[in-house]
Amino acid sequence: MRMKYVVANWKMAPATRKDAEKLFAALQRMLRDVPDGARIVLCPPHVWLPFAPPASEKVALGAQDLFWEPRGAHTGEISSSMLASLGVSFVLVGHSERRAMGEDNAIVQKKLKAVLDAGMTAILCVGERDRASDHWHDFLGEQIESAFSVVERGATGRLIVAYEPVWAIGGSTPDTPDDALTVALLVRKIARKVWGESAGENLPVLYGGSVEAASVGPFATQEGIDGVLVGHASLDTDAFSKIAGIISGDAA
Ligand code: PGA
């Protein structure tokens, strides 16, 4: 059976250390009751990483970003080894909110390589800004092909793709599971072309964008979608543990 993933992207929240500690503690309590059917990855802001409970088989620690250079004079940046030394094993790369701040495909390539070279797992985010033109598949194809071109076949076991249509992020209307599946198939088609049949087939593809407990069911049962990346609902412990339960097969 394929591994399922439930990734929490806390973005720039919560605002204080006290609230972050509370959130970690509440999640630790609630996620205990979630069945073991999925890998849960918590991605808090960098500064709250040291306050996370120790990572376990079930709940791993992720970061939202990193800098591509392993060392050097780079004021304000965070390296892969800093993250690894805090127990981080997953890193988001190319989230659309970072791309909107100027992260282009070339920067995404460098960050992706940095994560994989450090032995961690990269969660590569891709997604079109809108579907106004018929070319949104081409736009996505470019994002995906550019990123995949820097990944060696041997590292594909540590690559996850999260399809997050930008227009669906931060609202309450996710994409349809059918359209998300069409993109997951496109991702795997490109992956097969780049690394061959089995690496392509085994590549996990998640969906993200307005995932909530009420809407996640059809994504959980959609074969070909290997889990979800959750933004605002991941800050609500009830909602997030429900989502994790549904993806784990508890109530799907
Ligand atoms: P959302 O965010 O669940 O709040 O739409 C998802 C994301 O940006 O990763």
Side-chain angles (χ1 to χ4, degrees):
M1 213 168 101
R2 292 173 78 98
M3 171 67 84
K4 294 267 186 184
Y5 295 88
V6 186
V7 183
N9 176 10
W10 290 6
K11 307 194 181 187
M12 202 173 73
T16 65
R17 169 179 169 174
K18 202 166 153 216
D19 287 342
E21 284 176 331
K22 266 200 226 153
L23 191 53
F24 278 128
L27 276 170
Q28 201 181 15
R29 261 195 321 276
M30 302 202 62
L31 293 175
R32 228 176 270 147
D33 300 331
V34 171
D36 285 339
R39 194 96 209 265
I40 295 161
V41 184
L42 302 181
C43 305
H46 287 145
V47 287
W48 304 147
L49 286 166
F51 310 112
S56 65
E57 270 297 299
K58 185 160 152 186
V59 186
L61 199 54
Q64 297 173 20
D65 187 32
L66 90 178
F67 189 59
W68 58 82
E69 292 292 348
R71 65 193 68 78
H74 306 290
T75 303
E77 298 294 354
I78 307 276
S79 72
S80 57
S81 65
M82 293 172 181
L83 296 174
S85 74
L86 294 176
V88 167
S89 49
F90 291 78
V91 185
L92 301 182
V93 176
H95 189 280
S96 63
E97 285 152 14
R98 299 214 57 84
R99 291 184 192 256
M101 285 187 265
E103 230 171 69
D104 58 12
N105 284 342
I107 292 179
V108 169
Q109 285 181 333
K110 290 197 257 189
K111 292 190 170 183
L112 191 53
K113 253 188 95 29
V115 175
L116 296 172
D117 288 351
M120 298 189 285
T121 296
I123 303 175
L124 169 71
C125 303
V126 298
E128 78 284 359
R129 276 188 291 274
D130 58 57
R131 286 187 183 165
S133 93
D134 293 339
H135 299 299
W136 64 276
H137 267 142
D138 299 339
F139 175 85
L140 266 177
E142 251 170 61
Q143 272 189 351
I144 298 163
E145 276 169 23
S146 153
F148 284 5
S149 71
V150 298
V151 179
E152 309 276 344
R153 181 179 300 137
T156 53
R158 286 183 290 105
L159 177 65
I160 295 172
V161 174
Y163 169 53
E164 297 206 297
V166 179
W167 51 266
I169 291 178
S172 54
T173 314
D175 195 5
T176 64
D178 278 353
D179 280 354
L181 179 64
T182 306
V183 175
L185 296 177
L186 171 72
V187 170
R188 290 206 188 87
K189 186 172 157 197
I190 299 173
R192 274 199 296 270
K193 205 170 70 191
V194 179
W195 304 299
E197 200 53 39
S198 93
E201 201 39 52
N202 294 331
L203 181 70
V205 182
L206 319 184
Y207 170 75
S210 293
V211 170
E212 289 179 0
S215 58
V216 74
F219 292 98
T221 48
Q222 181 70 274
E223 221 173 292
I225 295 182
D226 302 302
V228 286
L229 174 46
V230 188
H232 63 270
S234 70
L235 295 162
D236 173 338
T237 46
D238 263 345
F240 187 69
S241 24
K242 261 191 210 136
I243 292 169
I246 292 168
I247 294 289
S248 308
D250 201 14

